């Protein structure tokens, strides 16, 4: 009958933590990861603290992952994308660090969609 609820097809999140570990390891060893490996020194980069409200970097993400501070894949992806959004905000597209950010974002998008497609 029309009022019978269709069971929601929730995705299986049991592998998410492992996915985050695999993805982060791949980001950390990417050749264009160097601008993003550690927090931007807000002392030695004029204006950074004022312009970038939510700094993020791969070592901070690693720390949060190790301390179980990510509830799910979504909150992990939000932090990774924050790294790239901050980079776009602070750097010209046509700069070494700007290009590195675009390359890393492209790589990340490709890898997490590939890994999520795996059964
Ligand atoms: C992820 O790197 C940050 O966007 C800082 C970029 C930057 C730092 C110092 C400079 O002289 C120029 C750009």
């Amino acid at each position: 009958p029309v009022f019978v609820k269709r069971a929601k097809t929730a995705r299986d999140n049991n592998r998410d933590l492992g996915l985050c570990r695999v993805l982060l390891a791949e980001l950390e060893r990417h050749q264009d990861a160097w601008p993003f490996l550690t927090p931007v020194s807000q002392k030695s980069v004029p204006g950074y603290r004022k312009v970038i409200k939510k700094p993020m970097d791969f070592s901070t993400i690693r720390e949060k992952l190790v301390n179980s501070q990510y509830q799910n894949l979504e909150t992990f992806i939000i932090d990774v994308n924050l790294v790239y959004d901050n980079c776009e905000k602070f750097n010209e597209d046509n700069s070494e660090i700007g290009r590195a950010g675009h390359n890393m974002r492209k790589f990340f998008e490709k890898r997490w969609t590939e890994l999520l497609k795996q059964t």
Side-chain angles (χ1 to χ4, degrees), residues 30-69:
H30 192 290
Q31 72 163 21
D32 293 338
W34 55 272
F36 316 108
L37 293 175
T38 57
V40 174
S41 156
Q42 307 199 20
K43 280 197 297 294
S44 66
V45 181
Y48 198 80
R49 184 198 308 263
K50 188 84 184 105
V51 171
I52 301 300
K53 301 304 176 197
K54 289 198 275 182
M56 189 48 65
D57 70 284
F58 295 159
S59 73
T60 303
I61 293 172
R62 170 65 64 192
E63 189 76 21
K64 288 179 72 171
L65 196 58
V66 162
N67 299 331
S68 314
Q69 288 176 261

Side-chain angles (χ1 to χ4, degrees), residues 8 10 12 17 91:
K8 280 203 170 37
D12 170 13
L17 201 54
N91 302 278

Side-chain angles (χ1 to χ4, degrees), residues 66-80:
V66 162
N67 299 331
S68 314
Q69 288 176 261
Y70 289 116
Q71 295 84 357
N72 50 40
L73 189 58
E74 189 202 0
T75 50
F76 170 79
I77 290 175
I78 286 167
D79 266 1
V80 176

